[in-house]
Amino acid sequence: QGVCFYKYKNITYMFLSRSYGRRNSSKLEVYNYSSMTLINKFILPPMLEEITVSNDRLLLVYESGSSKYRNDCNYIVEDIISIDVKKLI
């Protein structure tokens, strides 16, 4: 669904979001980009859509917050979620 990159202490990390529909958990995976080694994996609410890094924060946007899916999703996330990116790597 989404991909973004973050460089910290000369290591580039790749963040990859995966969504599996309205009723299944999403996944956020963190890789060391140069070696493509999985660093961390997180299970998140359904319908994770886009991700980006801004000011050392990983921002997550969920499609479940839209009016189209509001009545047909297991867990609604209406806000942009902001996480300290260094806590994920």
Side-chain angles (χ1 to χ4, degrees):
Q1 291 290 325
V3 64
C4 63
F5 299 89
Y6 179 74
K7 192 168 186 174
Y8 181 66
K9 293 186 178 179
N10 292 324
I11 299 172
T12 300
Y13 296 92
M14 179 177 73
F15 294 83
L16 178 65
S17 67
R18 298 175 189 251
S19 177
Y20 299 96
R22 299 174 192 172
R23 304 205 190 298
N24 301 304
S25 297
S26 297
K27 293 180 183 173
L28 176 66
E29 298 170 339
V30 184
Y31 293 87
N32 176 316
Y33 186 64
S34 63
S35 66
M36 290 309 294
T37 304
L38 181 65
I39 303 294
N40 220 334
K41 182 165 47 171
F42 302 92
I43 305 299
L44 300 170
M47 301 186 78
L48 175 59
E49 186 69 12
E50 291 295 331
I51 58 174
T52 191
V53 175
S54 178
N55 297 319
D56 296 328
R57 307 291 297 179
L58 181 68
L59 305 175
L60 297 87
V61 175
Y62 283 83
E63 199 171 14
S64 62
S66 72
S67 58
K68 181 176 181 178
Y69 301 110
R70 194 170 286 269
N71 296 321
D72 193 27
C73 184
N74 285 352
Y75 189 86
I76 297 169
V77 180
E78 296 178 297
D79 301 313
I80 296 172
I81 306 302
S82 175
I83 304 170
D84 181 350
V85 73
K86 292 174 189 161
K87 292 182 178 181
L88 303 174
I89 56 179

